[in-house]
Amino acid sequence: MPGPAPNERMRPEGRRNEQGIRVDPEAEATHEPRQAVLAALVKHEPGVLAEVSGLFSRRQFNIESLTVGATMDDDVARMTIVIEEPEPGIDQAKKQLEKLVPTISVRELEPASTNRELALIKVDGEKPDDVNAVAEMYDGTAVDVSTDSITVEVTGSQQKIDAAIDAFRQFDVQEVARGGTVALERGADTLQDDD
Amino acid sequence: MSERASVPSEEADEAAEDADSAAEQAPVTTGAQSVVRALENAGAEYVFGVQGGAIMPVYDALYDSEIDHVTMAHEQGASHAADAYGIVSGEPGVCFATSGPGATNLVTGLADANMDSDPVIALTGQVATDLVGNDAFQETDTVGITQPVTKHSYFAGDADTVGDDVGEAFALADEGRQGPTLVDLPKDVTQGETDVEPGEPKAPDTYHPAEEADDANVQEAADVLAEADRPLILSGGGVIKAEASDELRDFAKEYEIPVVTTMPGIGSFPEDHELSLEWAGMHGTGYANMAITNTDCMLAIGTRFDDRLTGGVDSFAPDADVIHVDVDPAEISKNIHADYPLIGDAKAVLRQLYDAMPAEPDADEWREQCRTWKEEYPMAYDTPDDEPLKPQYVVERFSEQADDDAIVTTGVGQHQMWASQFWTFTEPRTWVSSHGLGTMGYGVPSAIGAKIAAPDQEVVCFDGDGSFLMTVQELSVAVRENLDITYVVLNNEAVGMVRQWQDGFFEGRRMASEYPWVPEFDKLAEAFGARGFRLEDYDDVEETIEAAREYDGPSVVDAIIDPEENVFPMVPSGGDNGLFALNEDHLEMI
């Protein structure tokens, strides 16, 4: 039998972690997931949303929300994608998104960027005054009222929407529609600058 | 090759040629003509395809073109033939299919090309736009189905722009990191009137592949490599795609750095050179895997660090600083963290690195160590005369007889590993195989694509009995086109790799892996009109190979091999490359 057996062979000292990063004192830990807001400008054409969402699902990125809408330019749409991934995953998601042919530019927004979500919350209509009082606490507005229900519109950060929905639970929440995060960089900086 | 070329009389040929040249001048009048004009503008010479209802207008336009059409027996064969054509020629291979089942049959070949970054452009027929979405006859959502397995899929909705869509898809398949693209062509669009001539093929304006890497980054990487005690080059398929084999050879020889290739990188560096450690990974050489495990600085070029190469990432090159050269930024740190990423074309970056190297690494001891490993862990197999024929022996003898630039294609399975292990590759674009997707059935049509791309080179296809049966119908194409291809079926009456894993990891429970009912492939070959040989004894190996090689046309050697022979070395899935097994006993140890 040629050569030393497996357990008798020359072995190196080092090792890598499960993300392929060489383990040294600084990079010992496996990265913990964090939330990242990616904004992308894409060509406004049929099938782009399917292409982007397909990319995220087949590469197993943990997607929190994905919104898409028109921009000032008729040919360009803007997507805001919130993902929760370890650092290498966020980097990879960004690069894979950049690779798609309809993608014009991609950026991870600063944590301080302006993030907003919209929610419509339909609650029981028995106590309109109380509902209004809670809505006011969250800068919300009643947008539809019937004898049996009140629908309140709330916008704000994801945390604020979560808190609002919690607060409305006392009125028997019948249905909630959340729009997902939309976001813009603070200041004069725009994604078009990356084009 | 063209269907029209079979018209018998010389006058008819001349008339056809006149018609061809006249057609070249004629302005386009339909979407289909614009499609064909775009292919001509892009320099396409061959199309592999299968006719059908929705693609008929494009075929009709092809009638007047000088582009040759090779009718395949099945659309999967068309996509694999186009893929192999792309690998061997370096130019995108083109395949046609009709809508619905035609298009879905292409999908395997596109997924295969996508995994291996092979340039392929697929044109599919589609039902007329007013029927799209209505579940019309032979309708499928081809763009939706193929989007995940192409660089990009286009739905061509307008006769005026369809030609430019095709040109763009062609350019996109070829530029940057190569890969497959698809254009779906609704019948009313290809039949629609247009007088718009397509422009020159041009990649989409959002696509900007990098060329040279940043100089400062290159210098930093070169400094690290020059300082290494145990430097190693890992050369991937991207080196071949970028036509960078010469640059790799110059670099490795100048700075005397040992070279390991990936399996798709086979041929990027001559395997008979003293610096070559051949290829690494699950069934790579022991010495390549020892070098990978023990290097302290790895220059990895054009590789995506597939798991068949790396094994478990925690044990992959655990001591190494990784310099990763790749044209696709998304490959950087996807699987293995790159300490020194160099984004750019491999050819350009290798030249930059060559100039930036401050000195040759001081690595005499390391090179000596690599040489020792080559002696300690040679590629070997037992050849007692009383045993059934060993497949490795067949491959080795064939390799010795074959031309230096012979092209080897394979199916997928044990035979693929034996072919890659025991054939000595010295030139790029001579190894054609299905790596990433591992497509059984790749062998028969890939040899057709390879032979058409390089008619003057010898083409040998090693296949397994299971893999051969999956696309055996394409033998009819090799016969019709009279392609001089030697098919060698390493016949062990099993899907041998599955059986090997069942023996190793499923307690020998050989569920659905033994094929004692396979046909006699030599007789099957004769039925197709090819030449058939049966090979059972050591004494007949040389002679049979010689006879098959000498036969001018497709021949099939049914080589009855030891059914119990297994592939070694082996790194178990997700294992440590340094702990490769050389035999069943080793396998039990790790």
Side-chain angles (χ1 to χ4, degrees), chain A residues 9 11 14 16 22 99 101, chain B residues 206 316 319 321 328 576:
Chain A
R9 290 176 200 154
R11 306 292 305 157
R16 290 177 186 275
R22 191 143 71 88
K99 238 171 93 163
V101 169
Chain B
T206 52
F316 181 79
D319 268 1
D321 284 323
D328 180 357
D576 176 338

Side-chain angles (χ1 to χ4, degrees), chain B residues 523-534:
Chain B
K523 290 184 182 164
L524 187 68
E526 299 282 350
F528 272 105
R531 185 72 200 275
F533 298 90
R534 189 174 168 88

Side-chain angles (χ1 to χ4, degrees), chain A residues 78-142:
Chain A
R78 183 183 176 106
M79 289 188 180
T80 309
I81 304 156
V82 183
I83 55 171
E84 197 161 310
E85 283 286 327
E87 200 63 48
I90 292 167
D91 195 42
Q92 184 60 212
K94 195 169 154 255
K95 288 192 284 196
Q96 292 290 349
L97 187 54
E98 274 168 352
K99 238 171 93 163
L100 296 181
V101 169
T103 302
I104 298 161
S105 59
V106 179
R107 185 196 288 191
E108 183 187 347
L109 298 184
E110 298 288 331
S113 64
T114 313
N115 296 351
R116 288 288 182 275
E117 188 178 340
L118 177 144
L120 295 173
I121 306 161
K122 186 180 285 186
V123 299
D124 191 281
E126 275 183 15
K127 299 174 184 169
D129 292 347
D130 295 355
V131 170
N132 248 334
V134 173
E136 273 174 26
M137 287 168 59
Y138 292 95
D139 300 321
T141 325

Side-chain angles (χ1 to χ4, degrees), chain A residues 1-4 6-7 9-16 18 20-22 43 51 58 92 95-96 99 101 103, chain B residues 147 152 205-206 293 313-314 316-322 328-330 332 337 376-377 576 578-580 586 590:
Chain A
M1 185 190 305
N7 53 7
R9 290 176 200 154
M10 171 177 166
R11 306 292 305 157
E13 301 277 303
R15 67 187 176 87
R16 290 177 186 275
E18 61 189 25
I21 298 172
R22 191 143 71 88
K43 287 195 171 172
E51 199 168 343
R58 74 174 174 271
Q92 184 60 212
K95 288 192 284 196
Q96 292 290 349
K99 238 171 93 163
V101 169
T103 302
Chain B
Q147 216 160 40
H152 192 58
D205 52 12
T206 52
T293 302
V313 291
D314 56 344
F316 181 79
D319 268 1
D321 284 323
V322 173
D328 180 357
I332 301 296
H337 179 74
E376 281 184 333
Y377 303 107
D576 176 338
L579 301 181
F580 53 86
H586 277 181
I590 53 184

